[in-house]
Amino acid sequence: MLASPSVLLTGSDSAAKRDEIRRCFHHTFDTDERLFELLADEAAFYRRADPLRHPLVFYFGHTACFFINKLISAGALDHHLEPRFESQFAIGVDEMSWDDLDETHYDWPPIAAVRAYRDRVRATVDARIAALPLALPITWDSPFWAVLMGIEHARIHLETSSVLIRQLPLELVRPHPDWPLCPLRGEPPENQLTPVTPGPVRLGKPADDPRYGWDNEYGELDRDVPAFAAARDLV
């Protein structure tokens, strides 16, 4: 139910590709919101599950505001929806000395306000998907590159946020049918070495790879990557 393949950048039918991207966006947005249904109450959103990370309310807003900030960077959107949120939820932490984890410096908004913001983001991105020009294959110069970036970014946070939720005290987490307990038990298998034949290794995927990739996946490039495509997100 939760699984959904990544959208290929290639194709021959722009209308079908647009519909595929729209369905993938909503599926990802829905899955992201269902993950936070694991929290037992609103107080859990404001608990810092890990001392080196923000409270979970940050991540609830972060995956939404990322779409808006990147669409603006790509020139695919000409206005902010909620400037305060799109600044407060923009940058995470990376265990660096300049990261600010002093909770007295943050006035986290009510969860109802974040949910309302997410609804506005969903409607805005849906409208942009319907209106933006779409030529295939999708390249770094396409406004849809920013849309796919937002989708893949949200999928990264499905993993990172689930780890934080697992670090919460059990009384702050409730069962959810979409996120069942792992049925596997027992000792893990021992790691084994796999022989590798010596030879040259090329790092990085080719520029025309049919799947979306982050800037650090491409290795040596013959051209500059646009700023909105090369943006680094601190998860």
Side-chain angles (χ1 to χ4, degrees):
M1 176 181 178
L2 298 178
S4 176
S6 295
V7 174
L8 292 179
L9 305 173
T10 55
S12 57
D13 187 334
S14 294
K17 184 63 63 175
R18 189 185 303 273
D19 183 63
E20 180 186 4
I21 293 172
R22 182 177 182 272
R23 286 185 282 107
C24 186
F25 163 69
H26 285 288
H27 181 278
T28 301
F29 215 84
D30 286 340
T31 305
D32 189 20
E33 294 191 340
R34 287 201 299 272
L35 178 65
F36 286 88
E37 292 175 4
L38 284 164
L39 301 183
D41 54 37
E42 290 197 1
F45 279 87
Y46 301 99
R47 286 286 294 270
R48 187 186 290 166
D50 188 293
L52 297 176
R53 289 289 182 265
H54 283 311
L56 284 158
V57 60
F58 168 83
Y59 300 97
F60 193 47
H62 175 62
T63 51
C65 87
F66 187 93
F67 278 100
I68 301 303
N69 288 335
K70 297 312 172 190
L71 284 171
I72 291 174
S73 296
L77 186 66
D78 62 3
H79 65 283
H80 285 276
L81 301 187
E82 180 59 60
R84 177 196 165 195
F85 285 3
E86 282 139 22
S87 173
Q88 186 177 31
F89 292 130
I91 303 295
V93 292
D94 199 24
E95 298 98 24
M96 304 299 289
S97 60
W98 48 263
D99 280 323
D100 182 8
L101 285 170
D102 186 345
E103 282 303 291
T104 63
H105 294 177
Y106 294 92
D107 182 19
W108 299 114
I111 298 305
V114 183
R115 291 189 190 281
Y117 172 71
R118 288 184 61 90
D119 289 343
R120 292 177 64 196
V121 170
R122 184 195 288 264
T124 299
V125 177
D126 183 89
R128 291 286 75 203
I129 290 173
L132 289 170
L134 175 57
L136 296 174
I138 298 171
T139 67
W140 298 325
D141 298 317
S142 169
F144 273 90
W145 191 266
V147 176
L148 295 179
M149 177 187 288
I151 291 172
E152 295 301 326
H153 169 261
R155 291 178 171 205
I156 290 172
H157 278 285
L158 288 175
E159 178 178 356
T160 59
S161 294
S162 70
V163 171
L164 293 177
I165 291 173
R166 286 197 294 272
Q167 290 179 250
L168 287 172
L170 284 178
E171 63 269 19
L172 297 181
V173 182
R174 61 188 173 189
H176 193 289
D178 286 342
W179 312 100
L181 293 175
C182 178
L184 302 179
R185 297 291 186 273
E187 293 295 322
E190 292 187 8
N191 290 330
Q192 296 181 346
L193 296 177
T194 300
V196 176
T197 303
V201 175
R202 177 179 175 83
L203 298 178
K205 64 200 302 183
D208 60 352
D209 191 272
R211 297 185 185 278
Y212 174 86
W214 298 93
D215 57 302
N216 62 352
E217 294 181 57
Y218 289 98
E220 294 293 332
L221 295 175
D222 296 327
R223 49 167 291 177
D224 292 331
V225 180
F228 66 86
R232 178 170 176 259
D233 174 54
L234 303 181
V235 298

